[in-house]
Amino acid sequence: MSTGTDPLAPLAQLPGVPDAVAEVRKAVDRLYGHRVMRRRAAEVTSESALRGARASAALAGADWPLEEVRRRSDFGADPEARTVGAALRIAAEAGQLLSIWRHSPLQVLARLHLLAVGDGDPAAGRPRRAGEGAEVLFPQELEPVESVEVEAVDGPPPVLPPAPGAEEVAARLDQLSRLLVARAEGQGVGTPALVVASVVHGELLALRPFGAHNGVIARAAQRIVLIAEGLDPKSICPAEVGLAELGTAAYRRALAGYLAGTPEGMAAWIAYSGRALRLGVRESTAVCEAMQRGMV
């Protein structure tokens, strides 16, 4: 199959998307060329996973300081602790699921949900059934930090529509899985990794296929795609950190664009995803610099 038949290919040509792809590629290549990566890549990967998990949990309402996440060992005491624990468990295993992801993305998503909720939950590892609702994606607001430029938008962030029903969720998950498996088989390989990761991330947020932890799972799936597509094979670029820096108001606005499905909305979502990924690159670059100075 040629790249022209890839259903995601038109997204790569939307206004602003080629520039976003090029900027991300340049930033990631610069990080991979850092001298610290030649001898301490595994440590950078580990630190990226920790910081990404902390940020993903913060976006889900458990905004803990990094050092608190680093030192804690009990993550079952209260809802926030369970959210942080879920993000950490998912981050620890996500990179090990790549071979399964290539032929069965839905199996990986089920595994991520099981990791998040534990095997004691009767709904663990399965999508929502008819009549079962999904949790709110953004239980608390995170204000953007002053050092990050976010496009000013008048008015409050949009109210997101409810998650679709179980039947639609099942059909769209199957469609997404087929698309990803086809890519793993060499079909549609011309579409940039940023575009593919953005679509997977956005679609899982739109569907909220599970009863809980959908945001954490969607962000982990985005990271797996970036590894699988070869943009970030060592998993050292924590896009979750950038998402948290930009704040949930910007997250909701960008996601609303994806949900609208218009060319402008899709382009804005992909550009936003690229901006978050570049901020994640900046975070890991700072880690590399600290390692180089002997501070880590």
Side-chain angles (χ1 to χ4, degrees), residues 30-53:
R30 187 183 300 116
L31 174 58
Y32 270 80
H34 197 287
R35 61 188 302 177
V36 166
M37 288 296 297
R38 293 198 291 269
R39 60 186 186 280
R40 302 182 67 179
E43 294 175 66
V44 179
T45 295
S46 178
E47 188 66 17
S48 171
L50 179 69
R51 293 179 183 228

Side-chain angles (χ1 to χ4, degrees), residues 3 23 31 160-161 283:
T3 58
E23 289 169 0
L31 174 58
L160 300 178
E283 181 84 358

Side-chain angles (χ1 to χ4, degrees), residues 143-277:
E143 291 300 326
V145 298
E146 294 180 359
S147 61
V148 179
E149 294 183 4
V150 182
E151 293 182 12
V153 179
D154 293 333
V159 176
L160 300 178
E167 186 175 345
E168 181 179 346
V169 167
R172 287 171 63 175
L173 280 178
D174 181 69
Q175 184 179 29
L176 182 65
S177 177
R178 290 174 182 272
L179 183 151
L180 293 170
V181 170
R183 290 187 61 81
E185 293 173 349
Q187 302 173 21
V189 293
T191 303
L194 175 64
V195 174
V196 182
S198 299
V199 169
V200 170
H201 181 196
E203 189 69 1
L204 292 176
L205 290 177
L207 296 179
R208 281 165 272 174
F210 302 104
H213 299 296
N214 288 292
V216 174
I217 291 169
R219 291 183 285 274
Q222 175 187 235
R223 180 173 282 229
I224 292 173
V225 172
L226 293 173
I227 299 170
E229 295 284 329
L231 179 62
D232 183 20
K234 296 184 184 297
S235 192
I236 60 171
C237 305
E240 306 94 329
V241 171
L243 294 170
E245 281 198 58
L246 292 170
T248 56
Y251 204 173
R252 287 166 61 188
R253 288 191 182 97
L255 179 58
Y258 178 88
L259 296 175
T262 63
E264 296 80 9
M266 296 298 293
W269 171 251
I270 295 168
Y272 165 81
S273 299
R275 190 157 61 248
L277 185 55

Side-chain angles (χ1 to χ4, degrees), residues 50-67:
L50 179 69
R51 293 179 183 228
R54 190 221 71 82
S56 193
L59 289 162
D63 190 7
W64 288 15
L66 179 62
E67 292 311 312

